[in-house]
Amino acid sequence: MRHPRPGSDGGLPASLPMGTADIAYHLAMEGRPLPAGFLFGFSGRAPTLDAVRARVAERAHRIPALRYRIDRGSRTFSRVERIAVEQHVHEAWLPGDDDGSGAGRLMLSRPMGGDGRPPWDLWLVHGPTGGHSLCYRTDHTFQDGVGAAHTARALLDDDPAGGPPAHHRGLPAPGGLAGAVGDVAASFRRTVKPAFDVPVRGRTDMCQAVVPVTRLRAVARAHGASVNDVFLAAYAYAVGTWHRKNTGCAHPPLPVALPMSVRGPGDECAPGNRLVVARVLLPCDAPSPRHALDRVVARTGALRTSRQREALRLMLSAGPRAVGARVGTLMVNGRSVAGPVSSVNFGSALVHQGNAARRAVVYSGLGAGIRCLTTLTSQQDTACFAVIHDEALSTAGELPDLWLAALLELERP
């Protein structure tokens, strides 16, 4: 097994300072934990709780992200010397969870430990007819989705290699710097998001749809796009259709936050958030999914060619962390964006004790006035589209079917 920085085999620093993004999550949540992590759905016979705990006991002490707790007062991560596995690994039964989304709702609703332990846990959730899930959960103040993917694989997989690709740093183009400044400036303005501008209830629901990755790749190849572009375009058109269906009105372009990983080689399982966020206007007003895809491709192409990811990374790390964190809280809150829209490619299927997961889902709770988080998680040959939303969006459960309908339209010649 790899031993990513910082340290290995007991060589971890006694403490690490929170990064800019970590402080941003801490400020946005006012010190409360924000659950985030990965859910893996399996068929076949479930392992025993003792077997899962044995795997965790064997590996957890070698994974840096599992060896630290959050010291919020000093804004640091402090190393622990011992992991009490029985306090981190739990079991639950959901016999009515036919599509696996119930396990996600459970992970979003269960309180997280606040007793000074490292902020992670693992759940074995038994579903109907022998199906089960393994759910890795952490605090988003402590770890981003790509870090959670690598940590879950290192902790659970029979052969813990692979995962999302590392980011290799470079220098931004002038257009990237201008784009980053423009994104920050736009975050100071309240935006109109009629489908999402509803009072927050504070209770979270989740819905999802699973499709073969080959469908997304075929559409992407046919239109010179990426899988992420197809995901975003179908979601934009789904939101537009959803809003027209409920109000009879067109929805204006929807501002969302697009997380982009800057987690480099060797830092796969390191503590902390290694990401930046770009602001994207999803074309919910497009007359067809094809028009939406064209507009999304133009926007994401500009992000890539200008290397805006690098510009944002440099901008947020150049000054004091507290200043960068305040900028981060401006860019991701319910006043300026509908919510994050995130895509993670987990890679090959997670195999636990000889059983390959049928699907993977990255998830996170909601905070800072955000009403909705949308994710696409690819694993091996399946992709899961998930919508995590405040219950105030009472008809958001329609979005997965509308997303599938938009994808079907994109597949037509």
Coordinates of all heavy atoms in Angstrom, one line a residue, residues 38-43 134 149 152-153 156-157 161 163-164 210-214 216-217 227 343-352 355-362 376-385:
F38 N -18.1 8.7 0.7 CA -18.4 7.8 -0.4 C -19.2 6.7 0.1 O -19.0 6.1 1.2 CB -17.1 7.2 -1.0 CG -16.7 7.9 -2.3 CD1 -16.0 9.0 -2.3 CD2 -17.0 7.3 -3.5 CE1 -15.6 9.6 -3.5 CE2 -16.7 7.9 -4.7 CZ -15.9 9.0 -4.7
L39 N -20.2 6.3 -0.8 CA -21.1 5.2 -0.5 C -20.9 4.1 -1.6 O -20.9 4.5 -2.8 CB -22.5 5.6 -0.4 CG -23.6 4.6 -0.1 CD1 -24.8 5.3 0.6 CD2 -24.1 3.9 -1.4
F40 N -20.7 2.9 -1.3 CA -20.5 1.8 -2.2 C -21.6 0.8 -2.1 O -21.8 0.3 -1.0 CB -19.1 1.1 -2.1 CG -18.0 2.1 -2.1 CD1 -17.5 2.7 -1.0 CD2 -17.4 2.4 -3.4 CE1 -16.4 3.6 -1.1 CE2 -16.4 3.3 -3.4 CZ -15.9 3.9 -2.3
G41 N -22.4 0.5 -3.2 CA -23.5 -0.4 -3.1 C -23.0 -1.8 -3.6 O -22.4 -1.9 -4.7
F42 N -23.4 -2.8 -2.9 CA -23.0 -4.2 -3.3 C -24.3 -5.1 -3.3 O -25.3 -4.8 -2.6 CB -22.1 -4.8 -2.2 CG -20.8 -4.2 -2.0 CD1 -20.6 -3.0 -1.2 CD2 -19.6 -4.7 -2.7 CE1 -19.4 -2.4 -1.1 CE2 -18.4 -4.1 -2.5 CZ -18.3 -2.9 -1.7
S43 N -24.2 -6.2 -4.1 CA -25.2 -7.2 -4.0 C -24.4 -8.5 -3.5 O -23.2 -8.4 -3.3 CB -25.7 -7.6 -5.4 OG -24.7 -7.9 -6.3
L134 N -21.3 -0.1 1.9 CA -20.2 0.3 2.8 C -20.1 1.8 2.6 O -20.0 2.3 1.5 CB -18.9 -0.4 2.5 CG -18.8 -1.9 2.9 CD1 -17.5 -2.5 2.3 CD2 -18.9 -2.0 4.4
A149 N -12.3 9.6 -1.8 CA -12.2 8.5 -2.7 C -10.9 7.7 -2.5 O -11.0 6.4 -2.4 CB -12.3 9.0 -4.1
A152 N -11.1 6.0 1.1 CA -12.0 4.8 1.1 C -11.3 3.6 0.4 O -11.5 2.5 0.9 CB -13.3 5.2 0.5
R153 N -10.7 3.9 -0.7 CA -10.0 2.7 -1.4 C -8.9 2.2 -0.6 O -8.8 0.9 -0.5 CB -9.5 3.2 -2.8 CG -9.1 2.0 -3.7 CD -8.6 2.4 -5.0 NE -9.6 2.9 -6.0 CZ -10.3 2.1 -6.7 NH1 -10.2 0.8 -6.5 NH2 -11.2 2.5 -7.6
L156 N -10.5 0.1 2.3 CA -11.5 -1.0 2.1 C -11.1 -2.0 0.9 O -11.5 -3.1 1.0 CB -12.9 -0.4 1.8 CG -13.5 0.4 2.9 CD1 -14.8 1.0 2.4 CD2 -13.8 -0.5 4.1
D157 N -10.4 -1.5 -0.1 CA -10.2 -2.3 -1.3 C -9.3 -3.5 -1.1 O -8.2 -3.3 -0.4 CB -9.7 -1.4 -2.4 CG -10.1 -2.0 -3.8 OD1 -9.9 -3.2 -4.0 OD2 -10.6 -1.2 -4.6
A161 N -5.2 0.1 -5.2 CA -4.5 0.9 -6.1 C -5.4 1.7 -7.1 O -6.6 1.3 -7.2 CB -3.5 0.1 -7.0
G163 N -7.7 5.0 -8.5 CA -8.5 6.1 -8.0 C -8.4 7.3 -8.9 O -7.8 7.2 -10.0
P164 N -9.0 8.4 -8.5 CA -9.0 9.6 -9.3 C -7.6 10.0 -9.6 O -6.7 9.9 -8.8 CB -9.7 10.6 -8.4 CG -10.6 9.8 -7.5 CD -9.8 8.6 -7.2
V210 N -28.9 5.6 -11.9 CA -27.7 4.9 -12.3 C -27.8 4.6 -13.8 O -28.8 4.1 -14.3 CB -27.5 3.6 -11.5 CG1 -26.3 2.9 -12.0 CG2 -27.4 3.9 -10.0
V211 N -26.7 4.9 -14.5 CA -26.6 4.7 -16.0 C -25.3 4.0 -16.3 O -24.3 4.2 -15.6 CB -26.8 6.0 -16.8 CG1 -28.1 6.6 -16.6 CG2 -25.7 7.0 -16.5
P212 N -25.2 3.3 -17.4 CA -23.9 2.8 -17.9 C -23.0 4.0 -18.3 O -23.4 4.9 -19.0 CB -24.2 1.9 -19.1 CG -25.7 1.6 -18.9 CD -26.3 2.8 -18.3
V213 N -21.7 3.9 -17.9 CA -20.8 5.0 -18.3 C -20.6 5.0 -19.8 O -20.4 6.1 -20.4 CB -19.4 4.7 -17.7 CG1 -18.4 5.7 -18.2 CG2 -19.5 4.9 -16.1
T214 N -20.8 3.9 -20.5 CA -20.7 3.9 -22.0 C -21.6 4.8 -22.6 O -21.3 5.4 -23.7 CB -20.9 2.5 -22.5 OG1 -22.1 1.9 -22.0 CG2 -19.8 1.5 -22.1
L216 N -22.7 7.8 -21.5 CA -22.1 9.1 -21.4 C -20.9 9.3 -22.3 O -20.8 10.4 -22.9 CB -21.7 9.4 -19.9 CG -22.9 9.3 -18.9 CD1 -22.3 9.3 -17.4 CD2 -23.9 10.4 -19.1
R217 N -20.1 8.3 -22.4 CA -18.9 8.4 -23.2 C -19.3 8.5 -24.7 O -18.6 9.2 -25.4 CB -18.0 7.2 -23.0 CG -17.3 7.3 -21.6 CD -16.5 6.0 -21.4 NE -15.8 6.0 -20.1 CZ -15.4 5.0 -19.4 NH1 -15.5 3.8 -20.0 NH2 -14.8 5.1 -18.3
V227 N -17.3 13.6 -20.5 CA -18.4 13.0 -19.7 C -18.9 14.1 -18.7 O -20.1 14.2 -18.5 CB -17.9 11.8 -18.9 CG1 -18.9 11.4 -17.8 CG2 -17.7 10.6 -19.9
S343 N -18.2 16.2 -10.1 CA -18.1 15.0 -10.8 C -16.8 14.3 -10.3 O -15.7 14.9 -10.3 CB -18.0 15.2 -12.3 OG -17.7 14.0 -13.0
V344 N -16.8 13.0 -9.9 CA -15.7 12.3 -9.5 C -15.6 10.9 -10.2 O -16.6 10.2 -10.2 CB -15.7 12.0 -7.9 CG1 -14.5 11.2 -7.5 CG2 -15.7 13.4 -7.2
N345 N -14.5 10.6 -10.8 CA -14.3 9.3 -11.4 C -13.5 8.4 -10.5 O -12.3 8.6 -10.3 CB -13.6 9.5 -12.7 CG -13.4 8.1 -13.5 OD1 -13.8 7.1 -13.0 ND2 -12.8 8.2 -14.6
F346 N -14.2 7.5 -9.8 CA -13.5 6.6 -8.8 C -12.6 5.7 -9.5 O -11.6 5.2 -8.8 CB -14.6 5.9 -8.0 CG -14.0 5.1 -6.8 CD1 -13.6 5.8 -5.7 CD2 -13.9 3.8 -6.9 CE1 -13.1 5.1 -4.6 CE2 -13.4 3.0 -5.8 CZ -13.0 3.7 -4.7
G347 N -12.8 5.3 -10.7 CA -11.9 4.4 -11.4 C -12.5 3.0 -11.4 O -13.7 2.8 -11.5
S348 N -11.6 2.0 -11.2 CA -12.1 0.6 -11.2 C -12.9 0.4 -10.0 O -12.8 1.1 -9.0 CB -10.8 -0.3 -11.2 OG -10.0 -0.1 -10.0
A349 N -13.8 -0.6 -10.1 CA -14.7 -0.9 -9.0 C -14.0 -1.2 -7.7 O -13.0 -2.0 -7.7 CB -15.7 -2.0 -9.4
L350 N -14.5 -0.8 -6.6 CA -14.0 -1.2 -5.3 C -14.4 -2.6 -5.0 O -15.5 -3.0 -5.2 CB -14.6 -0.3 -4.2 CG -14.0 -0.5 -2.8 CD1 -13.7 0.8 -2.1 CD2 -15.0 -1.3 -1.9
V351 N -13.4 -3.4 -4.6 CA -13.6 -4.8 -4.3 C -13.3 -5.0 -2.9 O -12.2 -4.8 -2.4 CB -12.7 -5.7 -5.2 CG1 -12.9 -7.2 -4.8 CG2 -13.0 -5.5 -6.7
H352 N -14.3 -5.5 -2.1 CA -14.1 -5.7 -0.7 C -14.4 -7.1 -0.4 O -15.5 -7.6 -0.6 CB -15.1 -4.8 0.1 CG -14.9 -4.9 1.6 ND1 -13.9 -4.3 2.3 CD2 -15.6 -5.6 2.5 CE1 -14.0 -4.6 3.6 NE2 -15.0 -5.4 3.8
N355 N -15.9 -9.1 -3.2 CA -17.1 -8.7 -3.8 C -17.0 -7.3 -4.4 O -16.5 -6.3 -3.7 CB -18.2 -8.7 -2.7 CG -19.6 -8.5 -3.3 OD1 -19.8 -8.4 -4.5 ND2 -20.6 -8.4 -2.4
A356 N -17.3 -7.1 -5.7 CA -17.1 -5.8 -6.4 C -18.3 -5.0 -6.2 O -19.5 -5.5 -6.4 CB -16.8 -6.1 -7.9
A357 N -18.1 -3.7 -5.9 CA -19.3 -2.8 -5.7 C -20.0 -2.6 -7.1 O -19.3 -2.5 -8.1 CB -18.8 -1.5 -5.2
R358 N -21.3 -2.5 -7.0 CA -22.1 -2.3 -8.2 C -22.2 -0.8 -8.6 O -22.4 -0.4 -9.7 CB -23.5 -2.8 -8.0 CG -23.6 -4.3 -7.9 CD -25.0 -4.8 -7.7 NE -25.6 -4.3 -6.4 CZ -26.5 -3.4 -6.3 NH1 -27.0 -2.8 -7.4 NH2 -27.0 -3.1 -5.1
R359 N -22.0 0.1 -7.6 CA -22.1 1.5 -7.9 C -21.3 2.2 -6.7 O -21.1 1.7 -5.6 CB -23.5 2.0 -7.9 CG -24.2 2.1 -6.6 CD -25.7 2.5 -6.7 NE -26.3 2.7 -5.4 CZ -26.6 1.7 -4.6 NH1 -26.5 0.5 -5.0 NH2 -27.2 2.0 -3.4
A360 N -21.0 3.5 -7.0 CA -20.3 4.3 -6.0 C -21.0 5.7 -6.1 O -21.4 6.1 -7.2 CB -18.8 4.5 -6.2
V361 N -21.2 6.3 -4.9 CA -21.8 7.7 -4.9 C -21.0 8.6 -3.9 O -20.7 8.2 -2.8 CB -23.2 7.6 -4.3 CG1 -23.9 9.0 -4.4 CG2 -24.1 6.5 -5.1
V362 N -20.5 9.7 -4.4 CA -19.9 10.7 -3.6 C -21.1 11.6 -3.1 O -22.0 12.0 -3.8 CB -18.8 11.5 -4.3 CG1 -19.4 12.3 -5.4 CG2 -18.1 12.4 -3.3
L376 N -22.0 13.5 -9.9 CA -21.9 12.3 -10.8 C -20.7 11.5 -10.4 O -19.6 12.1 -10.4 CB -21.8 12.8 -12.3 CG -21.8 11.6 -13.3 CD1 -23.2 11.0 -13.4 CD2 -21.2 12.0 -14.6
T377 N -20.9 10.3 -10.0 CA -19.8 9.4 -9.6 C -19.7 8.3 -10.5 O -20.6 7.4 -10.7 CB -20.0 8.9 -8.2 OG1 -20.5 10.0 -7.3 CG2 -18.8 8.3 -7.6
S378 N -18.6 8.2 -11.2 CA -18.3 7.1 -12.1 C -17.4 6.0 -11.5 O -16.5 6.3 -10.8 CB -17.6 7.6 -13.4 OG -18.3 8.6 -14.0
Q379 N -17.8 4.7 -11.7 CA -17.0 3.6 -11.1 C -17.1 2.5 -12.1 O -18.2 2.0 -12.5 CB -17.5 3.2 -9.8 CG -16.7 2.0 -9.2 CD -17.5 1.2 -8.2 OE1 -17.1 1.2 -7.0 NE2 -18.5 0.4 -8.6
Q380 N -15.9 2.1 -12.7 CA -15.9 1.0 -13.6 C -16.8 1.3 -14.8 O -16.6 2.1 -15.6 CB -16.2 -0.3 -13.0 CG -15.9 -1.6 -13.8 CD -14.4 -1.9 -13.8 OE1 -13.7 -1.4 -13.0 NE2 -14.1 -2.8 -14.7
D381 N -18.0 0.6 -14.9 CA -18.9 0.7 -16.0 C -20.2 1.4 -15.7 O -21.1 1.4 -16.5 CB -19.1 -0.6 -16.7 CG -19.6 -1.7 -15.7 OD1 -19.8 -1.4 -14.5 OD2 -19.8 -2.8 -16.2
T382 N -20.3 1.9 -14.5 CA -21.6 2.6 -14.1 C -21.3 4.0 -13.6 O -20.2 4.3 -13.1 CB -22.3 1.8 -12.9 OG1 -21.5 1.8 -11.8 CG2 -22.6 0.4 -13.4
A383 N -22.3 4.8 -13.7 CA -22.3 6.2 -13.2 C -23.5 6.5 -12.4 O -24.6 6.1 -12.9 CB -22.1 7.2 -14.4
C384 N -23.4 7.1 -11.3 CA -24.6 7.4 -10.5 C -24.7 9.0 -10.4 O -23.8 9.7 -10.0 CB -24.4 6.9 -9.1 SG -25.9 7.1 -8.0
F385 N -25.9 9.4 -10.9 CA -26.3 10.8 -10.8 C -27.1 11.0 -9.5 O -28.1 10.3 -9.3 CB -27.1 11.2 -12.0 CG -27.8 12.5 -12.0 CD1 -27.1 13.7 -12.3 CD2 -29.1 12.6 -11.6 CE1 -27.7 14.9 -12.2 CE2 -29.8 13.9 -11.5 CZ -29.0 15.0 -11.9

